[in-house]
Amino acid sequence: MSHPTALQIATDRTVVKRAAKIAFVVGVIIAMINHGDRISSGTMDGVAWAKCALTFLVPYSVSTYSSVMAVRERLQTLGD
């Protein structure tokens, strides 16, 4: 039986949906910690907004990677 690739797991709807939810919650918290004062004062520039957007990429990536590794480990265990 052929196991799905890491890319197939990472792009699976359930993995993407879970990672997006986590990225939203954690990203908002981190963005508010790092940029909250500038957001509330209206002094954000393009670079700051780009950095703020990247803040959401980190938890998304970590969640996706964790899911891929967990699924692969589970499939390997089931195959033994």
Side-chain angles (χ1 to χ4, degrees):
M1 178 168 107
S2 176
H3 292 301
T5 65
L7 182 59
Q8 289 171 323
I9 297 168
T11 57
D12 180 80
R13 180 183 170 153
T14 58
V15 171
V16 170
K17 200 171 174 182
R18 182 182 307 112
K21 287 177 185 177
I22 291 168
F24 178 76
V25 172
V26 175
V28 166
I29 293 167
I30 295 171
M32 293 313 295
I33 290 168
N34 292 332
H35 306 284
D37 57 331
R38 291 186 69 193
I39 292 171
S40 64
S41 68
T43 60
M44 293 282 283
D45 59 10
V47 173
W49 280 115
K51 288 179 180 180
C52 192
L54 286 174
T55 299
F56 292 81
L57 186 60
V58 173
Y60 182 88
S61 299
V62 171
S63 176
T64 300
Y65 179 77
S66 178
S67 292
V68 168
M69 299 313 295
V71 169
R72 291 177 97 185
E73 183 178 316
R74 180 71 175 147
L75 289 172
Q76 189 174 32
T77 301
L78 291 174
D80 291 344

